[in-house]
Amino acid sequence: MLRKALLCGSLGIAALHPAWAGDEFVASLRLRGGFDSNPQFSTGNGIGGSAFVGTDASMAAARKDGDTSLGIAAEASQTQYANPQATPGLSGKVIIRGMLGNDDLNISSVTTISDVSTYNLRSSDLVQSVKGEAKVGSFKLFATGEGARSSLNQTNAIFQDFLPEAEQYLRGTLIPGVAYVSGKFEIGTSVNLSVRRYAREFDVFGYRRDNERIQPFVFAKYADKDFSVTGSLSQLRGTWHDPDFSNVKTLLYEGHLHWRRDALTLDLTAWKRANETTFPISPITIDAAYTGKLSWAAMSQLTLSVAAGYATTRYLDSPFNAQTATVAFGGSYDLGNDYALGLDLTYARGILISGDKADALILSSSITKKFSPLVKEVEKEKTQNRKI
């Protein structure tokens, strides 16, 4: 997962900002190809290496009319391998956001639809959230209600194939909170109250996976033109209905730092999260990741980068865990007219849930085309006005 993130992470969904004025539309299409020495990250030679081709596409559009705004963002990615034993990787996500109101009082709705299919994961999610926010002086009060329907199927160390049927569950969440805002700085607290109910009382292994969770948060952020930092700390307390699952009490966190100085840009990220699993003897997994990326604009057209990361997955109530370390080197050359060429080299080494060691080397090249027709129209209009 980490090596794929470092290799393909440049095409994330664009943010939908509620303060966009007028109409906005941006899109990106990347075609890539190369060679992966271990496409399913297995031990030894596994299924062998494979050449691959892939496509990544993303778009974001928004419209604002007075106190009403509407936005949509989408991304899709696919990777096809020449080796017939290598499973194709497919993923897609759509986010639809609507908002009514202004900075002092507003209500917003976000609908998220996502689907992932890889050699070891098949998942789909439909999430609907509604958030109300009011600003009183320097304080911001907010509350979010969220409902979700999810499907999850994974391979694991005990059964090397997918489950006969995916596990399906419903999730309901309520998140009230308050924040203090002063200039570019914000600090606040909230609590996440959630329940999960599975479609079947017992899973394929005979376990009850229904649970309730309480997760209080504290968070803070600071944002400036060339420097921003965000962080949160939370305590997860979960109660499971099955007596064979231990109740969960663990500290989670998330932080990100962005810094730019002249031609250099540094991004650091660290997080520890709880994720769902179908592993038969674990209620959830605790996943952690630490990544860093340094980019250098060597020339006006050439950008070079180096990135490193380390990720772990711990299966609660079991001795199993997995870890991956990754280092990546990349370069991007701007051809003009919104075209760019890319070259990336990634090496990953890890310990699988089975305890076996694995490594992979991935070399890929790409061409990316960006689309921003509305921005060009505005620039063209400004140029014509100056001539007049």
Side-chain angles (χ1 to χ4, degrees), residues 309-343:
Y310 178 71
T312 63
T313 297
R314 182 164 61 94
Y315 293 80
L316 298 188
D317 286 354
S318 84
F320 297 103
N321 61 79
Q323 52 188 286
T324 307
T326 306
V327 60
F329 302 91
S332 177
Y333 187 82
D334 187 353
L335 298 174
N337 295 319
D338 294 324
Y339 284 94
L341 290 177
L343 184 65

Side-chain angles (χ1 to χ4, degrees), residues 135-151:
K135 191 173 182 181
V136 182
S138 297
F139 290 91
K140 184 167 60 176
L141 308 175
F142 59 89
T144 301
E146 190 171 275
R149 183 185 185 279
S150 301
S151 174

